[in-house]
Structures are given as structure tokens and as C-alpha cells.
């Protein structure tokens, strides 16, 4: 788990992340991440039968200045 308030080096993150790994990175529960995916609050992509967090898209939007992620922001998810 990443220590609170410790910056994350965005350039070394993988293009996608499992929901479990994403929850660990943020120090939150898997249920919270699952809810974000189900509500399209974070960018996600379906690979096989599983949904992964689209880290590439997330980082791109963070670099563009996005700071608020709301339900339905990513309803166009694959």
C-alpha cells in the first residue's frame, strides 16, 4: 500500500490495473472500487469477463487537470 500523501510516479504505472490492485494502491476497499466501476466513476475496460481500471486514460485525465470523478463520467466504457 502507498503511504497517505505520498506522490505516485504516474510514468511507471501499467496501462490497466485489476480492481484489487487499484484498491491497494489507493488504500481503499475492493468494494469501493467495484462500485466505482459499476457506476462508471473511473475509466475501465472489459478484458474477457473482467473489468480493469484503465490507468492510461485515468493518468491522461489527471494530467489534463481533472480532479472530480462523478458517477457516469465513463459511461462510454468498453
Amino acid at each position: 500500500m502507498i503511504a497517505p500523501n505520498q506522490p505516485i510516479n504516474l510514468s511507471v504505472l501499467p496501462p490497466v490495473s485489476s480492481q484489487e490492485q487499484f484498491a491497494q494502491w489507493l488504500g481503499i476497499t475492493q468494494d469501493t472500487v467495484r462500485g466505482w466501476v459499476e457506476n462508471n466513476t473511473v475509466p475501465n475496460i472489459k478484458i474477457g469477463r473482467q473489468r480493469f481500471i484503465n490507468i492510461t486514460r485515468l493518468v491522461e485525465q489527471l494530467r489534463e487537470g481533472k480532479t472530480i470523478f462523478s458517477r457516469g463520467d465513463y459511461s462510454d466504457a468498453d
Side-chain angles (χ1 to χ4, degrees), residues 17 27 34 54 68 70:
S17 168
R34 189 174 310 113
N54 185 336
I68 298 173
S70 301

Side-chain angles (χ1 to χ4, degrees), residues 5-72:
N5 300 320
Q6 179 182 347
I8 299 172
N9 184 351
L10 299 177
S11 65
V12 297
L13 294 175
V16 296
S17 168
S18 70
Q19 294 178 42
E20 295 79 12
Q21 182 66 54
F22 193 67
Q24 285 181 341
W25 285 339
L26 297 181
I28 59 176
T29 68
Q30 292 179 28
D31 287 339
T32 297
V33 174
R34 189 174 310 113
W36 289 348
V37 169
E38 289 172 2
N39 295 321
N40 295 308
T41 303
V42 294
N44 60 84
I45 186 167
K46 189 171 186 178
I47 301 174
R49 289 192 236 178
Q50 296 183 349
R51 287 219 163 259
F52 293 83
I53 307 302
N54 185 336
I55 300 297
T56 301
R57 187 169 180 193
L58 179 64
V59 167
E60 178 182 290
Q61 294 209 310
L62 288 169
R63 286 187 172 142
E64 290 172 357
K66 185 169 177 69
T67 59
I68 298 173
F69 293 79
S70 301
R71 172 181 255 184

